[in-house]
Every structure is written in C-alpha cells, then in structure tokens.
Amino acid sequence: MNQILLQFVNGITYAGLLFMIASGFTLIFGVMRVINMSHGAFYILGAYIAYTIQKQTGNWVAGIIVGSIAVGITALMVRMLVSRVKGALPQTVLTLGIAMMIGDLCLYIWGGLPRTVGEPTFTMNPIPLLGSTYPAFRFFVLALACVVGSGMWYMLQRTQLGRILRAGTDNRLMTSALGINIDRIFTLVFILTGLLTGLSGAVGGTYIAFGPGSDFSILTYALVVVIMGGMGSITGSALGALIVGLVDSIGRAYVHEVAIFLLMGTLIIVLAFRPRGLLGREE
Amino acid sequence: MKANSLYRIIVIAVILLLAVTAPYWLPMYYIQLLDVSLSIGLTAMSFILLAGYCGMISFAQMAFYAMAAYIIGIGTMDLGWPNWALLPLSVAGASFLSAVFGAIAIRAKGVYFLMMTLALSQLFYGVGLEWESVTHGWNGVAGITRPEIFGVSLLSATPRYYTALVVTIISYLVLRRIVRSPFGLALQGIRDNPTKMAALGFNVQLYRYIAIIISGAFAGVGGVLGVYSTGVVSPHTNDLSAIVRVVLAALIGGVTRLEGGIVGAVVTVLLISFTSRYTSRYWMVVGAVFMLVMLFLPNGILGIKLKKNTDASSRRSI
C-alpha cells in the first residue's frame, strides 16, 4: 500500500517538472502556432549551464539564475531567426535545424557523459514520509511548479499582457488589427519561454540525470503532455502533466520496460474521445 | 516538345548509366554511401508523397523505417526466421504502424499533423529504447546477417548496391504511377482544396488515410534497404538526427517531385560524409545547412505548397 502511495507522490512531483517544461512549449504554440522543436535543446542547455555554474561556485541558486537567463537570450536569438521565415510550418521545420545545432554544441562543450546538477543545501535533508524518507528536492520542484503555474495563471488572467496573449491565441489577425504589435508579443513570448525552460532545465537537471539525447526525450514529454492536455492551454498542460507524470511513474514501477506502451495507450484513448486534447478547442 | 522529351531521355539514360557503372569507377567507400543514400532517398520519397502531393508533413517516416528494420533485425538474429517470410512481414509491419499512427494523426491538419506524427514517432523511439527484452534497448540489434540473392551474399557492397538500385527504381516507378493515377490526382486536389473535393463526392479522409499507409509501406521498404546496408538497428535509427536527415534530403531535392528525394538523399549523405571527415561537429554543419535551406530557399523548396496550406487555415480562422 505504501509502495503505491509512494509511486503516487513520485508521479505528482514528476508532473510538477513536466508542467514547467510543457507550459513554455504550449505558450509558444498557442500564440504563434509554431512547434518549437528546439524546446528540448533549451532544456538541456539550461541544465548544462546550471551544472557548470553550480560546480564552479557551489551556489545552486546562481546556477539556476544564470541558466535561465542564458536560455532566455538563446530563445531571443532563435526568435530572430524564426521571424525571417513566413508561415507556421516552415518556422516549425526551421527550429528543427536549430535544435540540432544547440544539441551538438552542448555535446562539444560538455561531452557525452550523463550529468546531474549538484543539489542545493536547503534540500539536503530528506523528509520523513510514510514510514520512510523522501527526497526533499522533489517537493521543492512541486512547490516551484505550483508557483510558476500560479504566476502564469495570474499573468494570463489578470494582466494586460495576459489579455493580449489570450486574444492572440484566439485570433492573431484580429489582435494585430486592433493595433497591438504582435511581433513584439511573439518576441516576449519566446524570451519568457526561454527563461522558463532554462529554469526547468536547471531544476530538472538536479532532479533527473541528463545528457546527449535528453533534448529528444524532453521534447517527447513536452509534446505528449501538450497534445494530451490540449494545445495552447496552460490549464490543459497542468492536467496533461499530471496524467503523464502519474502514468509514467506507476508504469515504470509496475510494468517496467513496457511503461512506454501505457503512455502511448493513454494518449490514444484521450485522443479517441477528445481529438483536440482534454482542454483543447476546435480551430 | 519533341526536343524536350529527347533531352529528358538523354538525362535519364546518363543518370542510369552512371548509377549502373558506379561500382567500376568509384571507390568502395562511395558505393557504400550511395547504398545508404538509396535507402534514405526511398524514405524521403515516401515523405514527399505525403508532403508534396497531400500537403501533410509527416515526421513519422523514420518510425516506419525503423519498424521494418527492427522486424528484419529481430527476426533474423533472435528468431531465426527465413528471409522470404521476413521481407513481406517487415513491409507489412511498417504499413501496420502507419495505419495505427495515421488513424490517430489523420484528424489533425497542417502543423497539428506534424506535431502528432512527431510525438508518435518519438514514442516509438521510446519503445525501441525501453522494451529491452525485445529490442535490446540502447544498443539495438547489430551484426545482422544479410540474405543471399541468386547465390550472391548481400554482405558485400556491390551486389547490395545493385539490389538497392533495382528496388529504388521499381519503387520510384510505382510511386510515380500512383501520383499520376486518378487516386494521385485526387490527392493533389485534396491538398489544394479539400472542401471542393469533399463537395465533389470524394471521401477526403479515406484518401488521406490510404496515402499515409502507402507512404508507410515505402518507408518500410527503405528501412529494409537501410538495415541491410548498415547491419544495425537501434533507437538511433529513429532519433532526431535520423529524422533531420530524411527531411533535409526531401527539402534539398524539393518536395514537389518524387525524384527529388533520391537526389537530396545523395547530396545529404555526401555532405555528412565530407564534413565528418574534417570535423566531428558535422551535425552542427548539417543543422546549419538545414537552417540555411529553410531561410533562403523557402519558396523554391518548401514554400509554395506549404504556404498555400497555412494561408488556407488562417483564412478559415477569420
């Protein structure tokens, strides 16, 4: 019984990380209709930079901050390249080339061995849970995801920028016709996503090991979460992350190597009933 | 008109002559590269069938390729099944996988379709990586033995190259027949104006679905050629760089013509081979070339057909 509960807690903390990864991805998609294929590359770039800074200075928080900002700047550069091409499909294909380059750059700088960012001192002591102990850092990830989620919810629902973003998601042409500089909004969304994904990379790199190839698997999880939850919806991402996190953790604990089929099956069942995802809307 | 067709015949004859005589004047290394190019080119043609003729960008072609390759690899090495059974089985397996993926992705259009096929393809990568008892995980199946054709083992490069050449030419002719048939014309009509085609009584979704399965089968044939040419199948057969290789081949060759896939594949494989000789950062070079192609040749290569699509979808949303 405790074992099941433990997997449940694992799934929920993992879902926190997945939500942080997927929310930036879905934000870009919602506003620009572009699938940012370099999303996984953003993640590992943030993780690697945080790894190096943490190793040099011993300060985890500094690593997280530098990692986020560096990826934010990278995202700005990607945005500048993407804006050179017209149309969502060519833009999407373009980001694939960028993903290759960032991935290879990381391989060049940091080599092929898997790495983990050193844990911060404030989560060193495990938390007693269900008669055993549980890594405190995982709870920290969950708490951070809640903060990020509430922050995004507040921004989207209560601020002027959020209203513009939601309007842009609904109808991009109409929004720019109302005199809003949609290009500047796109740039802002890219930077925001970069910061958020760099942060998820730095935090996720402390949670689970990463290395060459992680960019690909992170992109997979981001895609599955976003497709399941409904593309462009932040609440949908939270829901999708929760489902994927739980299915993946429980699957890995009980059916081991065929857990991926469980994930695939869940995705297929969701799409069979809700072709646009759980909270997705018709185009 | 007559001069034009004569010119075409001469070009085709010269290319065929060069291709057939290649083993006599090219070093063995290049014959192996050409062999690999043919398997990628065939898969790129299956990509072009969907992208150029149906307006659907599928990133799952390498999953179908890998499915066929896994069936050959596991069937030969672990199960010891005979080749005459494995060959049709592998193409059937690739078609089956495309039927499953197609059933899920078919309801999505444009960039959503790309997203669905990418996600499904990546989940298939995950299956290859994690279902270790069957797929042998990260390392995959290596040292796969090749069959013999008319008493000649396909282990040596020259007979393997000729086999790949024959299979690719036949596949090309079949695909060309398909896109010029009433069925293929209907697909192009659906690409340009699905609403009109539906009004004319065409079952738009069924046509699209059949096109996906056909392209899956040909990607599977590409996978069979690929696994015989490298002797290895692993999750990397279907990773991001493998997808990039096929898509780049189709982009360089031009998604509007089937034969572009073969030309693009030869250029892509040679590019990777040359750059890898000078630097180990060849994926960065490939990524850069990929970006440059998208940045500076969007209309000539990918733009025209795709732009029509995105325009249509944005018009609907007003």
Side-chain angles (χ1 to χ4, degrees):
Chain A
M1 187 58 208
N2 274 1
Q3 193 59 34
I4 296 175
L5 269 175
L6 197 66
Q7 292 309 329
F8 192 74
V9 177
N10 265 342
I12 289 181
T13 52
Y14 187 42
L17 177 65
L18 288 176
F19 168 71
M20 290 210 293
I21 295 168
S23 53
F25 189 70
T26 204
L27 200 62
I28 290 190
F29 184 84
V31 184
M32 297 182 68
R33 293 289 180 274
V34 169
I35 300 165
N36 178 23
M37 308 257 242
S38 46
H39 197 77
F42 284 5
Y43 173 94
I44 60 163
L45 187 65
Y48 274 125
I49 291 173
Y51 165 81
T52 303
I53 300 288
Q54 199 277 339
K55 211 175 171 194
Q56 297 296 327
T57 65
N59 189 341
W60 186 79
V61 179
I64 297 300
I65 292 170
V66 176
S68 309
I69 293 174
V71 179
I73 295 168
T74 313
L76 177 64
M77 294 195 288
V78 170
R79 156 68 188 147
M80 279 145 92
L81 274 172
V82 163
S83 64
R84 301 278 308 259
V85 184
K86 294 265 176 299
L89 264 174
Q91 285 177 343
T92 298
V93 179
L94 177 69
T95 57
L96 184 58
I98 298 170
M100 295 300 309
M101 293 182 71
I102 298 177
D104 201 52
L105 187 73
C106 288
L107 182 65
Y108 174 63
I109 299 176
W110 286 281
L113 290 174
R115 307 201 185 267
T116 326
V117 183
E119 228 180 283
T121 41
F122 59 87
T123 57
M124 280 303 182
N125 299 322
I127 291 172
L129 181 81
L130 304 166
S132 64
T133 56
Y134 195 79
F137 187 77
R138 295 191 178 185
F139 281 121
F140 171 73
V141 171
L142 184 60
L144 189 65
C146 292
V147 171
V148 166
S150 335
M152 279 185 93
W153 181 86
Y154 181 81
M155 185 202 77
L156 282 171
Q157 301 295 328
R158 294 281 184 271
T159 66
Q160 186 60 21
L161 174 66
R163 287 182 199 108
I164 295 171
L165 284 181
R166 280 187 290 142
T169 308
D170 280 347
N171 194 331
R172 187 166 37 167
L173 282 175
M174 198 62 199
T175 313
S176 52
L178 289 171
I180 284 155
N181 186 346
I182 202 87
D183 267 338
R184 195 183 293 163
I185 298 295
F186 287 175
T187 308
L188 209 62
V189 165
F190 250 95
I191 296 173
L192 204 65
T193 300
L195 290 172
L196 192 58
T197 314
L199 175 72
S200 339
V203 173
T206 321
Y207 188 144
I208 33 176
F210 60 96
S214 293
D215 44 353
F216 194 48
S217 53
I218 290 297
L219 182 63
T220 311
Y221 278 108
L223 273 169
V224 173
V225 166
V226 167
I227 289 176
M228 205 179 278
M231 303 162 203
S233 158
I234 298 283
T235 325
S237 292
L239 205 58
L242 207 56
I243 295 173
V244 172
L246 285 174
V247 168
D248 208 50
S249 294
I250 291 170
R252 266 169 217 287
Y254 293 102
V255 292
H256 308 290
E257 53 181 27
V258 288
I260 190 94
F261 287 110
L262 215 57
L263 196 59
M264 221 178 201
T266 316
L267 181 68
I268 291 172
I269 291 167
V270 167
L271 288 179
F273 292 102
R274 305 271 313 178
R276 289 264 176 242
L278 290 170
L279 297 181
R281 287 177 297 177
E282 283 299 315
E283 266 297 280
Chain B
M1 181 63 206
K2 194 150 193 201
N4 195 10
S5 67
L6 186 70
Y7 172 74
R8 276 192 56 157
I9 289 170
I10 292 173
V11 169
I12 292 169
V14 168
I15 290 175
L16 270 182
L17 192 71
L18 287 178
V20 171
T21 59
Y24 296 96
W25 48 270
L26 269 181
M28 194 54 89
Y29 173 68
Y30 286 98
I31 297 303
Q32 283 168 349
L33 285 187
L34 280 180
D35 188 25
V36 173
S37 310
L38 288 173
S39 68
I40 292 170
L42 188 45
T43 317
M45 282 202 289
S46 79
F47 174 87
I48 292 171
L49 175 70
L50 289 184
Y53 293 87
C54 312
M56 301 189 282
I57 308 289
S58 158
F59 273 25
Q61 299 310 108
M62 283 315 277
F64 310 146
Y65 175 105
M67 177 75 169
Y70 266 119
I71 290 176
I72 296 275
I74 295 165
T76 317
M77 303 309 287
D78 295 342
L79 305 172
W81 287 359
N83 285 304
W84 58 263
L86 279 175
L87 289 174
L89 195 66
S90 59
V91 178
S95 316
F96 172 73
L97 191 67
S98 65
V100 174
F101 283 11
I104 303 164
I106 190 84
R107 285 186 284 187
K109 287 177 194 71
V111 82
Y112 289 91
F113 183 83
L114 188 156
M115 190 170 184
M116 291 284 184
T117 49
L118 180 65
L120 291 167
S121 176
Q122 287 175 310
L123 285 174
F124 188 75
Y125 169 89
V127 170
L129 190 63
E130 287 171 18
W131 197 16
E132 283 191 12
S133 53
V134 173
T135 63
H136 302 272
W138 179 259
N139 294 321
V141 189
I144 297 163
T145 51
R146 274 72 150 195
E148 286 188 358
I149 291 185
F150 307 124
V152 184
S153 168
L154 292 188
L155 197 59
S156 49
T158 310
R160 202 169 64 221
Y161 166 70
Y162 280 124
T163 315
L165 191 64
V166 170
V167 171
T168 308
I169 290 173
I170 293 173
S171 304
Y172 166 68
L173 292 175
V174 172
L175 277 171
R176 197 175 70 149
R177 187 80 194 80
I178 290 173
V179 297
R180 290 181 179 183
S181 69
F183 171 75
L185 295 175
L187 285 180
Q188 293 168 59
I190 290 168
R191 173 198 68 200
D192 293 335
N193 195 338
T195 317
K196 190 173 177 181
M197 293 304 278
L200 288 171
F202 287 93
N203 188 340
V204 169
Q205 290 301 71
L206 183 67
Y207 272 72
R208 281 193 173 130
Y209 189 52
I210 293 172
I212 293 173
I213 296 175
I214 292 174
S215 92
F218 280 98
V221 176
V224 174
L225 294 184
V227 74
Y228 283 145
S229 117
T230 56
V232 181
V233 56
S234 70
H236 313 297
T237 310
N238 177 35
D239 68 5
L240 205 56
S241 48
I243 296 173
V244 163
R245 212 161 49 160
V246 164
V247 176
L248 182 62
L251 292 183
I252 289 180
V255 285
T256 49
R257 296 175 74 90
L258 285 171
E259 52 271 39
I262 305 284
V263 177
V266 173
V267 174
T268 308
V269 169
L270 286 180
L271 171 80
I272 295 174
S273 159
F274 277 125
T275 42
S276 66
R277 195 177 299 169
Y278 298 106
T279 167
S280 54
R281 302 270 65 80
Y282 52 97
W283 279 116
M284 199 172 298
V285 178
V286 173
V289 170
F290 194 94
M291 256 172 49
L292 292 176
V293 168
M294 286 310 297
L295 280 173
F296 295 109
L297 298 163
N299 286 324
I301 291 179
L302 191 65
I304 300 168
K305 289 282 161 7
L306 298 182
K307 243 186 121 202
K308 205 174 272 173
N309 253 330
T310 44
D311 281 356
S313 62
S314 61
R315 213 177 295 133
R316 262 201 306 280
S317 68
I318 295 176

